[in-house]
Amino acid sequence: MNIHEYQARELFGKYGVATQPGCVASTPEEAEKVAVELGTKELIVKAQIHAGGRGKGTFKNGFKGGVHVCASPAEARDIAGKMLGQVLVTHQTGAEGKLVGKIFVGEAVEIARELYFAVLHDRATSGYTIIASTEGGVNIEEVAEHTPEKIVKVAVNPALGLQAYQSRNLATALGLRGPLINQAVKLFGNLFTLFVKCDCSMVEVNPLVVTKDGRLMALDAKFNFDDNALYRQPDVVAMRDKTEEDPREVAASEFNLNYIGLDGNIACLVNGAGLAMATMDIIQHYGGSPANFLDVGGGASKEQVTAAFKIILSDPHVRGILVNIFGGIMDCNVIANGIVAAAKEVSINIPLVVRLEGNNVAAGKATLAASGLALVSADSLDDAAQKVVAAVKNA
Amino acid sequence: MAIFVTPQTRILVQGITGDFGSRHAKLSLDYGTQLVAGVTPGKGGQVFEHNGHKVPVFDTVAEAARETGATVSVIFVPPPFAADAILESVDAALDLAVAITEGIPVNDMIKVKVGMAGKKTRLIGPNCPGLVTPGTGKDSHGGCRIGIAPGYIHKRGNVGVVSRSGTLTYEAVWQLTSRGIGQSTCVGIGGDPVNGTSHLDVLKMFNEDPETEAIIMIGEIGGDKEEEAAAWAKANCKKPIAAFIAGASAPAGRRMGHAGAIVSGGKGTAAAKIAAMKDAGIAVAPTPSAMAETLLKHWGK
């Protein structure tokens, strides 16, 4: 789950992580009011969408840039009017763009230095790791590749949490001296607390800035949350913006299906995450292109199978479907009946290849054969993948 | 000899009265597994009955282990209570805790690992199918089935299987059994980023196990544990290994179902893992359909 920039700032505020002063607005009037209350010389107005590349984006109404600096509340109001209710296209949104419903109005701070600071789960140590760098505001992966010596890593003992001396060491490694050291100890410590308390899986502050007037603050941040912990994070769940998500993924999550849309044209319906990935791989191996990842889980019901078919068929690029079920405990005949019921309800008029294996497979295959459905039965995963790739090529 | 468990191993089930736990406890009893106790807090004193089996239920793991001699626990407890359940079996000094539960928060697992440090209990999982040491009866009956794998697909034999994914494990096992090749032990280590037992831990045990003659190792994108196992195997493992890595077609930055299956920051790609495997002399199956075939060829069978 992702959140908006203004929501990240609200979280920072709640946990005492210094950030750029400002507030969210939904109308030009609100934007002006926020600007007046800030009372700063220069203001920044930022469109709130999840995708990156906002500054270089263009609105469909022709207005250029999703991030603007301006000098007066009236100007902020004017810019807000050109952004709100408009669709912003960036290199990350795709051609369809994203509707801007909210903007952030903040103090335009004068930046002296841009740094990088991140907290994440570390699977290698079963703990937490902090990554910091003097090279902020740029892609950290490139820094890691070209100048790895500019990256500092600190492991945090989960039993102790981040200690103040570790923050001081990080601060000095980032070249922060004098009063900035104490600001860093507070900011890093509070950020680590936020990370653990909110069940984040990654918080990346990029850039962390030192302003010309000597303040250390988080200027922009990217949050990832641990999906497994959302049940105990109602405040985080409340920040979810479903309009920012793939509508098919939202629909899938309502049926407890695990769906991820991809670019190809062969849809997959599989039980088990590993087998679902492997099914995508074998389609690609035989020259096809998977349209999605879809795991229906270990005990899929008829309703779930029907919902799954509806979701994969709502993708206009799909030209063929591969159903791959290894019914370990699950009865293959239950799945077969689910497929037949779903196929009748959603009328499938593209090639459908079904591979069933495992528990009660003979009855399952008999059900499919007796259904009169125009589907192709396959004997192995290999056979199934070759058949669906061929069917899509010949269609 | 098999690894971790034998058909004689005595098992207790944490969460035996829940839907999921009771269903799989029954299947394990049917398989002939020595399932000797159940634990559900507040239901101590009840008896879990199935096909003539009478399994006593206890309030705590410590009591269950003391009264029945169980040395292994399988955990079907829902995610919010699973970390506590794991730590309870660790505190009861069991040999092995197998956590089937899917969806445990990472922070909880980090806490569990802190609590396990220096203790004797080994954890397998979470978010795993468990493990099976097949028996010698019909459809491998009489073996030790811990977790949710279908028992009948197995066959007693000499191939060790280790995997992060449940259904891919079944796929590999079925490919072997269909070719008349049996398994020593099949271990699902689970798809979470913070877990108890790694590919490397299991490889080392297969390498030591006289009954295991060849190994199938199934990995997936995310992390670098497959690379770690491959590097060790290159220097230390004399037994033939075949591998498959799932996720070659997965886009970066997207979590593919399992919490651990994500390519991030250019790390954990299928290509890097496959290269590490090949470098270690491991035969890599080109497709998930060719796992058994690839092993048999490499093994010279």
Side-chain angles (χ1 to χ4, degrees), chain A residues 163-311:
Chain A
Q163 300 296 296
Y165 79 87
Q166 292 180 300
S167 291
R168 291 194 298 272
N169 286 345
L170 280 161
T172 52
L174 292 174
L176 302 173
R177 299 285 174 177
L180 284 169
I181 292 182
N182 278 341
Q183 288 187 45
V185 169
K186 191 174 165 215
L187 192 153
F188 298 166
N190 289 345
L191 187 62
F192 184 80
T193 303
L194 186 171
F195 180 93
V196 175
K197 286 264 164 74
C198 294
D199 278 307
C200 302
S201 55
M202 186 190 72
V203 178
E204 185 180 49
V205 179
N206 191 18
L208 169 74
V209 300
V210 180
T211 63
K212 286 189 177 161
D213 57 4
R215 289 176 290 164
L216 181 72
M217 61 173 72
L219 201 65
D220 204 356
K222 186 171 163 39
F223 277 73
N224 286 142
F225 297 93
D226 177 3
D227 290 348
N228 288 347
L230 290 178
Y231 73 86
R232 64 184 179 199
Q233 296 291 346
D235 294 347
V236 171
V237 173
M239 291 192 283
R240 184 173 174 192
D241 181 353
K242 289 187 183 174
T243 65
E244 286 281 349
E245 297 172 26
D246 183 331
R248 294 167 300 174
E249 290 175 21
V250 174
S253 70
E254 278 160 19
F255 284 91
N256 274 324
L257 299 166
N258 205 333
Y259 173 95
I260 293 167
L262 303 168
D263 299 330
N265 58 10
I266 298 176
C268 318
L269 191 163
V270 190
N271 66 325
L275 192 59
M277 260 192 286
T279 304
M280 290 161 42
D281 294 344
I282 198 169
I283 287 171
Q284 187 160 292
H285 179 82
Y286 284 112
S289 173
N292 64 273
F293 166 94
L294 174 57
D295 169 16
V296 296
S301 65
K302 195 181 108 182
E303 289 70 30
Q304 279 179 303
V305 175
T306 308
F309 268 105
K310 284 184 182 164
I311 291 161

Side-chain angles (χ1 to χ4, degrees), chain A residues 8-90:
Chain A
R9 290 183 194 286
E10 285 169 9
L11 272 181
F12 283 155
K14 194 169 154 192
Y15 283 88
V17 176
T19 183
Q20 183 181 25
C23 196
V24 68
S26 310
T27 65
E29 293 71 32
E30 270 178 37
E32 185 177 18
K33 188 163 163 263
V34 171
V36 169
E37 280 167 9
L38 279 170
T40 57
K41 200 170 63 181
E42 279 202 316
L43 297 154
I44 190 159
V45 181
K46 302 170 92 173
Q48 298 295 292
I49 58 170
H50 283 182
R54 289 172 298 175
K56 289 180 181 143
T58 303
F59 286 88
K60 284 193 171 169
N61 63 0
F63 187 62
K64 288 212 182 306
V67 178
H68 282 264
V69 174
C70 60
S72 72
E75 215 183 320
R77 177 194 170 116
D78 182 50
I79 292 166
K82 288 171 180 154
M83 290 182 175
L84 286 163
Q86 301 297 327
V87 174
L88 177 60
V89 180
T90 81

Side-chain angles (χ1 to χ4, degrees), chain A residues 326-340:
Chain A
F326 194 106
I329 301 300
M330 195 199 298
D331 186 333
C332 284
N333 200 28
V334 171
I335 282 288
N337 280 311
I339 294 169
V340 172

Side-chain angles (χ1 to χ4, degrees), chain A residues 123 128 199 226 232 281 359, chain B residues 106-108 152 171 247 249 260:
Chain A
R123 61 168 98 200
Y128 307 97
D199 278 307
D226 177 3
R232 64 184 179 199
D281 294 344
N359 191 11
Chain B
V106 179
N107 278 338
D108 289 12
Y152 70 92
E171 184 78 42
S249 60

Side-chain angles (χ1 to χ4, degrees), chain A residues 99-157:
Chain A
L99 181 70
V100 176
K102 288 189 165 71
I103 51 159
F104 173 79
V105 182
E107 174 193 341
V109 294
E110 287 192 89
I111 297 166
R113 292 186 63 207
E114 290 188 298
L115 311 167
Y116 175 96
F117 189 92
V119 189
L120 53 153
H121 284 140
D122 185 347
R123 61 168 98 200
T125 61
S126 297
Y128 307 97
T129 291
I130 287 174
I131 297 176
S133 174
T134 50
E135 307 303 296
V138 294
N139 184 346
I140 196 68
E141 283 156 29
E142 281 171 25
V143 178
E145 197 183 324
H146 301 297
T147 49
E149 72 280 2
K150 290 183 174 168
I151 293 199
V152 189
K153 281 189 187 181
V154 170
V156 180
N157 181 331

Side-chain angles (χ1 to χ4, degrees), chain B residues 59-187:
Chain B
D59 287 317
T60 68
V61 172
E63 284 172 341
R66 193 170 57 231
E67 298 295 322
T68 66
T71 56
V72 171
S73 166
V74 56
I75 294 159
F76 288 100
V77 172
F81 317 108
D84 178 67
I86 296 169
L87 289 171
E88 186 181 359
S89 22
V90 172
D91 191 62
L94 300 186
D95 293 335
L96 182 67
V98 182
I100 307 302
T101 310
E102 176 177 2
I104 304 177
V106 179
N107 278 338
D108 289 12
M109 281 311 301
I110 289 175
K111 221 183 279 176
V112 165
K113 298 280 285 205
V114 171
M116 289 184 74
K119 301 290 174 70
K120 77 175 260 207
T121 309
R122 168 175 288 283
L123 171 68
I124 293 179
N127 189 14
C128 79
L131 62 161
V132 175
T133 291
T136 49
K138 183 179 181 291
D139 292 336
S140 75
H141 191 274
C144 184
R145 171 189 182 272
I146 300 179
I148 59 174
Y152 70 92
I153 63 170
H154 296 84
K155 176 183 160 71
R156 183 109 203 97
N158 307 102
V159 177
V161 179
V162 54
S163 169
R164 271 161 79 177
S165 146
T167 38
L168 264 181
T169 312
Y170 312 159
E171 184 78 42
V173 168
W174 186 243
Q175 286 173 20
L176 289 168
T177 299
S178 305
R179 285 166 174 78
I181 307 293
Q183 305 89 38
S184 51
T185 303
C186 303
V187 186

